[in-house]
């Protein structure tokens, strides 16, 4: 099964405007809005390549059914599970409770949910036979405030490299288009992100 999730509430970007302006050697405020937009785009490009959430955000994953094994949560690290619901075979909305019906393994950047039903990760509840019956909302991203998941220091450099590339080559970049932007990922940024990149997409 291929796992997907989308951001429903975005947090602050990990690189500040002042940091980006220092990196770009830009003074004054005339380009602040443009640079701010580049920071956001560069962060998303780097996140997409690395398979991680560098900025803390609330994400939602919707599935048509439970998988045969553990559920992998995309774009970790995952700080918390905010909501885990499914529609049972009778059409009722059911909330799953942590440490009662499932176990949250968030000890690495690739977070997993494991069913505790009958002690088997493959024994998830039976759902209604329709699409979108399993919905998980969770908070993901590195968090320097609590220090539980501090942002790897090289990540900021990768984002700043990408901002610089997009700032200097404006006609070659398509800001906001994820598929195109990844192909334009700065070579230095790519090399830096290879030190933290994870692979969570998998077929079961």
């Amino acid at each position: 099964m291929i796992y997907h999730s989308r951001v429903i509430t975005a947090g602050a970007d990990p690189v500040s405007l002042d940091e980006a302006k220092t990196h770009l050697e830009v003074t004054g405020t005339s380009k602040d809005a443009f640079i701010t937009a580049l920071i956001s785009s560069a962060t998303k490009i780097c996140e997409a390549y690395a398979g991680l959430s560098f900025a803390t955000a609330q994400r939602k994953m919707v599935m048509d059914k439970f998988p045969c094994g553990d559920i992998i949560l995309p774009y970790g690290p995952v700080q918390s599970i905010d909501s885990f619901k499914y529609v049972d075979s009778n059409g009722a909305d059911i909330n799953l409770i942590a440490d009662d019906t499932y176990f949250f393994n968030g000890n690495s950047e690739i977070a997993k949910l494991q069913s505790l039903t009958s002690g088997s990760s493959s024994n998830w509840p039976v759902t209604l036979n329709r699409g979108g019956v399993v919905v998980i909302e969770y908070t993901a991203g590195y968090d320097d405030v609590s220090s539980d998941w501090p942002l790897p220091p090289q990540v900021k450099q990768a984002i700043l490299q990408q901002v610089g590339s997009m700032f200097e080559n404006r006609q070659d970049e398509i800001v906001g288009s994820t598929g195109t932007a990844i192909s334009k990922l700065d070579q230095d940024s790519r090399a830096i992100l290879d030190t933290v990149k994870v692979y969570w997409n998998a077929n079961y």
Side-chain angles (χ1 to χ4, degrees):
M1 179 180 293
I2 301 298
Y3 295 91
H4 301 280
S5 74
R6 64 182 179 88
V7 174
I8 55 177
T9 303
D13 291 319
V15 170
S16 70
L17 176 60
D18 287 343
E19 288 172 324
K21 290 173 70 173
T22 298
H23 176 76
L24 298 172
E25 297 182 345
V26 171
T27 59
T29 59
S30 62
K31 293 183 173 63
D32 281 7
F34 177 61
I35 295 172
T36 298
L38 290 184
I39 294 169
S40 180
S41 294
T43 299
K44 291 178 175 63
I45 292 168
C46 290
E47 287 179 329
Y49 178 77
L52 296 165
S53 294
F54 298 138
T56 295
Q58 284 187 303
R59 305 187 69 95
K60 175 186 283 188
M61 184 167 70
V62 180
M63 298 184 293
D64 293 338
K65 60 181 180 180
F66 282 110
C68 294
D70 297 344
I71 298 173
I72 299 174
L73 299 176
Y75 289 101
V78 175
Q79 299 175 22
S80 64
I81 307 299
D82 304 322
S83 176
F84 189 175
K85 301 178 180 179
Y86 76 99
V87 181
D88 71 9
S89 56
N90 295 316
D93 292 329
I94 306 296
N95 289 303
L96 292 179
I97 308 301
D99 298 326
D100 182 10
T101 52
Y102 73 92
F103 172 70
F104 167 49
N105 182 356
N107 294 321
S108 72
E109 280 83 351
I110 303 179
K112 298 179 181 181
L113 301 178
Q114 180 182 18
S115 172
L116 296 179
T117 305
S118 300
S120 172
S121 63
S122 63
N123 195 13
W124 290 101
V126 177
T127 64
L128 190 66
N129 186 22
R130 75 177 190 199
V133 292
V134 181
V135 180
I136 305 169
E137 294 184 7
Y138 58 98
T139 300
Y142 290 92
D143 181 15
D144 286 323
V145 176
S146 68
S147 74
D148 291 337
W149 283 104
L151 184 71
Q154 64 268 41
V155 167
K156 278 194 176 186
Q157 185 59 38
I159 295 173
L160 288 170
Q161 288 289 128
Q162 183 64 25
V163 169
S165 178
M166 297 166 72
F167 185 82
E168 296 296 333
N169 303 283
R170 304 178 195 183
Q171 302 306 315
D172 295 331
E173 303 288 349
I174 301 180
V175 178
S177 176
T178 303
T180 303
I182 290 177
S183 66
K184 296 291 186 179
L185 181 63
D186 179 82
Q187 185 175 356
D188 290 335
S189 296
R190 186 186 300 267
I192 295 170
L193 293 172
D194 280 340
T195 65
V196 297
K197 184 176 182 178
V198 300
Y199 299 88
W200 42 257
N201 270 339
N203 287 312
Y204 285 100

